[in-house]
């Protein structure tokens, strides 16, 4: 990221947002990048004082940025720039607010992509089957290791070194099978939890073991702006989580170095090296599971959309879904009612003879 002579002002603005607006770390990072890019452009044009920037300059900046960015990204950039100049004016850094009338690009209203209920069930069934299949392989690997040990014991003329060499591949296979089984248990738990609760992928990877209350079958979720909410989950998710915590997690935890292990000691989900799982891996798990299940390719966020839509289809109240998803505005949640209506129209068209 390019630095500018206005970095001090940007830092002060971001600190203000962090203290007074409670924005998430990701949002603050995006705003900082947006402002740095904007002011760097003006700096290249010879601007040395914020007071030199006019509304026409800001419109020119928007024209340049819109060539390479979607409208949704431009809307966020505009909000960041408008907020910065409003703050600068209120704090005496500028004599006017050039961004006061800067218009936010309109974003076309698109319905979120969702799975049907049968597709969601197929996705979760395939993940559950993978756990059962890998556990079978793991048991077979253990039997093979045991069998090779017995055979070695019966061969009296072989040296101890030869026996150790023959057992080493079996032990390695057993470890690999155990790791693969553990990862399939983790993947199944992730998919079940995402669908059961509709949580965001960032919320998923930041969860700790202590955030789960098995007695009430709820999880404590820390969402945008560090706002916390309690979300219920069902029996399938409980079983998947219990299997992961009791069987899979200890296997992956053993692969971690001491430093990684201490940082991830409380993490609910672990990566292959025993550290806290990151968003990229979680997204890849969902995409790969969709391919293996033969359902439309989806992201974790689409699984969130699916959970919300299926809840509404099942008769859940809009306010309840809003609370579960952590939406600050009911308008955001209302998008899913449109999806439900679209699915109803599609089913009507397929099933009704005079449609």
């Amino acid at each position: 990221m390019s630095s500018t002579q206005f970095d001090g002002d940007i830092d002060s603005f971001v600190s203000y947002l962090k203290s007074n607006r409670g924005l998430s770390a990701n949002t603050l990072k995006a705003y900082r990048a947006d402002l740095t890019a904007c002011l760097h452009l003006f700096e290249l044009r010879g601007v040395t004082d914020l007071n030199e920037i006019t509304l026409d300059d800001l419109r020119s900046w928007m024209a340049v940025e819109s060539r390479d960015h979607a409208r949704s990204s431009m809307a966020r950039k505009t909000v960041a720039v408008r907020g910065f100049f409003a703050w600068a004016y209120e704090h005496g850094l500028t004599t006017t607010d050039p961004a006061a009338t800067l218009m936010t690009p309109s974003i076309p209203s698109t319905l979120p992509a969702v799975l049907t209920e049968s597709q969601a069930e197929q996705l979760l069934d395939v993940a559950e089957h993978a756990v059962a299949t890998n556990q079978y392989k793991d048991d077979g690997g253990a039997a093979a290791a045991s069998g090779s040990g017995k055979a070695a014991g019966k061969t009296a003329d072989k040296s101890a070194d030869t026996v150790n060499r023959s057992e080493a591949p079996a032990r390695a296979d057993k470890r690999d099978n155990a790791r693969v089984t553990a990862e399939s248990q983790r993947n199944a738990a992730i998919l079940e939890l995402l669908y059961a609760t509709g949580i965001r992928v960032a919320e998923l990877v930041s969860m700790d073991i202590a955030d789960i209350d098995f007695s009430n079958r709820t999880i404590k979720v820390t969402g945008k702006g560090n706002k916390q909410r309690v979300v219920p989950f069902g029996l399938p998710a409980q079983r998947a989580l219990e299997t992961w915590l009791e069987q899979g997690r200890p296997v992956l935890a053993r692969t971690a170095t001491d430093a990684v292990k201490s940082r991830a000691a409380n993490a609910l989900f672990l990566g292959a090296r025993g550290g806290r799982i990151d968003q990229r891996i979680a997204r890849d798990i969902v995409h790969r599971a969709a391919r293996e299940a033969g359902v439309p390719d989806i992201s974790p966020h689409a699984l969130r959309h699916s959970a919300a839509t299926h809840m509404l289809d099942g008769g859940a109240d809009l306010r309840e879904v809003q609370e579960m998803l952590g939406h600050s505005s009911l308008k955001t949640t209302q998008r899913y009612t449109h999806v439900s209506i679209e699915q109803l129209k599609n089913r009507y068209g397929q099933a009704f003879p005079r449609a």
Side-chain angles (χ1 to χ4, degrees):
M1 186 187 300
S2 303
S3 60
T4 77
Q5 62 181 337
F6 305 112
D7 280 354
D9 297 328
I10 295 173
D11 289 342
S12 298
F13 174 61
V14 171
S15 296
Y16 166 81
L17 291 178
K18 186 176 182 180
S19 302
N20 296 276
R21 295 279 300 280
L23 299 181
S24 69
N26 286 337
T27 300
L28 293 174
K29 182 179 178 181
Y31 278 15
R32 182 188 294 276
D34 294 339
L35 290 169
T36 300
C38 174
L39 296 179
H40 178 64
L41 175 65
F42 292 137
E43 193 174 53
L44 293 176
R45 293 177 177 178
V47 172
T48 59
D49 190 319
L50 291 175
N51 282 298
E52 298 175 32
I53 299 173
T54 66
L55 177 60
D56 286 340
D57 291 329
L58 292 173
R59 286 172 175 164
S60 172
W61 159 76
M62 287 184 66
V64 171
E65 289 288 307
S66 60
R67 296 172 191 163
D68 302 314
H69 295 91
R71 284 196 173 194
S72 56
S73 297
M74 287 307 303
R76 187 203 63 224
K77 291 174 182 290
T78 305
V79 168
V81 168
R82 204 163 54 200
F84 172 76
F85 279 100
W87 168 84
Y89 176 62
E90 290 172 4
H91 288 76
L93 274 67
T94 60
T95 56
T96 60
D97 179 2
T101 57
L102 190 66
M103 298 297 292
T104 304
S106 60
I107 303 173
S109 180
T110 56
L111 296 179
V114 298
L115 297 178
T116 64
E117 291 183 34
S118 61
Q119 287 171 338
E121 188 172 348
Q122 184 177 339
L123 176 73
L124 299 173
D125 284 347
V126 168
E128 185 178 350
H129 178 71
V131 172
T133 302
N134 286 320
Q135 281 178 329
Y136 174 78
K137 289 178 181 177
D138 196 11
D139 292 341
S146 174
S148 66
K150 290 176 183 177
K154 290 178 182 178
T155 310
D157 60 344
K158 287 186 177 181
S159 67
D161 287 343
T162 303
V163 173
N164 289 338
R165 282 198 300 273
S166 68
E167 290 179 340
R171 287 197 297 269
D173 287 345
K174 186 177 180 181
R175 285 194 299 271
D176 288 343
N177 287 336
R179 179 184 56 76
V180 171
T181 299
E183 289 182 358
S184 66
Q185 290 166 339
R186 176 202 63 194
N187 297 351
I190 284 175
L191 290 165
E192 286 283 3
L193 194 61
L194 284 172
Y195 180 64
T197 62
I199 59 176
R200 303 175 179 94
V201 67
E203 296 167 345
L204 175 94
V205 301
S206 65
M207 283 186 63
D208 290 334
I209 298 172
D211 293 330
I212 304 176
D213 182 352
F214 282 110
S215 61
N216 291 315
R217 218 181 280 164
T218 58
I219 56 171
K220 182 176 69 177
V221 182
T222 303
K224 291 184 176 180
N226 288 323
K227 295 177 183 175
Q228 292 190 337
R229 64 188 190 278
V230 175
V231 182
F233 58 86
L235 186 58
Q238 177 179 345
R239 289 172 179 157
L241 284 168
E242 287 175 340
T243 299
W244 156 245
L245 289 173
E246 293 169 8
Q247 300 176 26
R249 192 183 185 281
V251 174
L252 295 188
R254 284 197 293 269
T255 66
T257 62
D258 290 340
V260 171
K261 193 175 294 185
S262 64
R263 290 197 300 270
N266 301 318
L268 175 57
F269 292 112
L270 304 178
R273 296 182 180 179
R276 184 183 290 274
I277 198 170
D278 62 32
Q279 293 188 39
R280 181 182 61 81
I281 298 299
R283 289 193 183 94
D284 185 58
I285 287 168
V286 176
H287 286 298
R288 189 166 65 247
R291 287 196 302 271
E292 292 172 355
V295 301
D297 185 29
I298 57 166
S299 64
H301 212 68
L303 207 51
R304 171 177 164 88
H305 295 326
S306 302
T309 303
H310 298 165
M311 279 192 67
L312 289 168
D313 284 344
D317 182 80
L318 196 61
R319 290 281 182 186
E320 294 170 345
V321 177
Q322 177 191 10
E323 180 68 23
M324 186 185 90
L325 297 181
H327 286 157
S328 57
S329 169
L330 190 63
K331 184 179 180 181
T332 307
T333 316
Q334 284 175 328
R335 297 172 67 205
Y336 301 112
T337 63
H338 301 310
V339 177
S340 295
I341 292 169
E342 286 298 312
Q343 290 190 345
L344 174 61
K345 286 164 65 177
N346 290 336
R347 287 196 294 268
Y348 179 86
Q350 293 167 2
F352 194 59
R354 293 181 65 83

